[in-house]
Amino acid sequence: MIVATTGPMANSGRLIVLTGPSGVGKGTLVSRLLRNRPALFLSVSATTRAPRPNEVEGVHYYFITRTKFEELIAQGQLLEWAEYLSNYYGTPRQAVLERLATGADVLLEIEVEGARQVLKTFPQAITIFILPPSLSTLAARLKQRRTESPEVITRRLTKAAQEITHAPEFSHRIVNDQLAEAVAQLEAILYPA
Ligand code: 5GP
């Protein structure tokens, strides 16, 4: 088993999945975590969504066409994938498995459907669901971020309410109210004293 902590694959790193609704602050939590733990490897996802102005190919995502994405699915090159609000998002399998095999911990920052798939395939994965203090806080954060149009924000919020119903399926839950506190909770889960 790839993420075993005992037995012949004892040197494998841990697969860590951070999930939760869009706008909940997963990205900010991840950047804080990576700053504290530079040895962590953050998987770069593939998506069919158009890049936002500040986004860099191969850093934030691999931006690919639907045809190419469907090829990756057919070839079994994705560890998990999901269609989220009319775009595909998925985790390239090989990069993750290679890093785990070197003993490095690998972090996935993904939406809820994909995280549920990972739970089935890698039951030993450490799965953490990030919750907003409330749906109205989430709405305010999405608006503040100014990366999406009002229609997209409405769709993301409707989706978020449904995604939150799956929070109990994951091994850990953190309410992202005060960022520093949420980072500390994340660190405590991943690196217990
Ligand atoms: P955004 O369009 O805001 O970058 O991402 C939309 C949602 O897709 C976010 O919840 C983000 O975490 C998620 N996402 C990013 N990459 C992946 C991936 O590889 N797989 C899945 N299932 N979700 C992803």
Side-chain angles (χ1 to χ4, degrees), residues 2-49:
I2 285 142
V3 288
T5 50
T6 55
M9 295 292 286
N11 288 334
S12 173
R14 301 175 298 170
L15 184 61
I16 301 162
V17 180
L18 213 66
T19 191
S22 168
V24 80
K26 301 192 292 291
T28 312
L29 282 170
V30 164
S31 26
R32 290 294 175 101
L33 188 64
L34 290 174
R35 207 158 69 185
N36 299 349
R37 309 279 172 177
L40 257 181
F41 172 75
L42 175 64
S43 159
V44 178
S45 300
T47 184
T48 60
R49 163 166 83 57

Side-chain angles (χ1 to χ4, degrees), residues 18-164:
L18 213 66
T19 191
S22 168
V24 80
K26 301 192 292 291
T28 312
L29 282 170
V30 164
S31 26
R32 290 294 175 101
L33 188 64
L34 290 174
R35 207 158 69 185
N36 299 349
R37 309 279 172 177
L40 257 181
F41 172 75
L42 175 64
S43 159
V44 178
S45 300
T47 184
T48 60
R49 163 166 83 57
R52 295 179 186 137
N54 63 327
E55 287 180 329
V56 178
E57 165 69 20
V59 176
H60 297 95
Y61 281 108
Y62 298 107
F63 295 99
I64 63 175
T65 61
R66 289 186 75 86
T67 310
K68 176 72 187 161
F69 198 102
E70 283 163 5
E71 265 173 44
L72 295 182
I73 298 173
Q75 294 164 352
Q77 291 195 37
L78 300 175
L79 191 82
E80 62 71 37
W81 62 274
E83 193 159 15
Y84 175 83
L85 304 181
S86 315
N87 281 304
Y88 285 129
Y89 295 81
T91 303
R93 180 190 299 274
Q94 200 182 340
V96 171
L97 298 189
E98 278 175 9
R99 287 301 176 121
L100 286 174
T102 68
D105 289 347
V106 175
L107 184 61
L108 310 184
E109 186 227 300
I110 61 179
E111 56 71 66
V112 177
E113 205 44 56
R116 298 176 76 206
Q117 283 174 45
V118 176
L119 265 179
K120 288 191 193 127
T121 332
F122 299 94
Q124 292 98 324
I126 302 176
T127 57
I128 304 161
F129 195 102
I130 312 297
L131 287 153
S134 67
L135 276 177
S136 57
T137 321
L138 191 66
R141 285 183 191 167
L142 276 172
K143 280 175 196 148
Q144 219 172 37
R145 202 162 79 169
R146 294 178 196 277
T147 48
E148 277 85 25
S149 64
E151 304 88 270
V152 173
I153 290 178
T154 305
R155 292 177 67 205
R156 285 188 177 223
L157 280 172
T158 308
K159 180 90 178 161
Q162 180 255 322
E163 288 175 318
I164 286 170

Side-chain angles (χ1 to χ4, degrees), residues 160-177:
Q162 180 255 322
E163 288 175 318
I164 286 170
T165 65
H166 293 289
E169 296 169 22
F170 297 91
S171 38
H172 304 273
R173 281 161 296 283
I174 295 176
V175 177
N176 187 15
D177 189 358

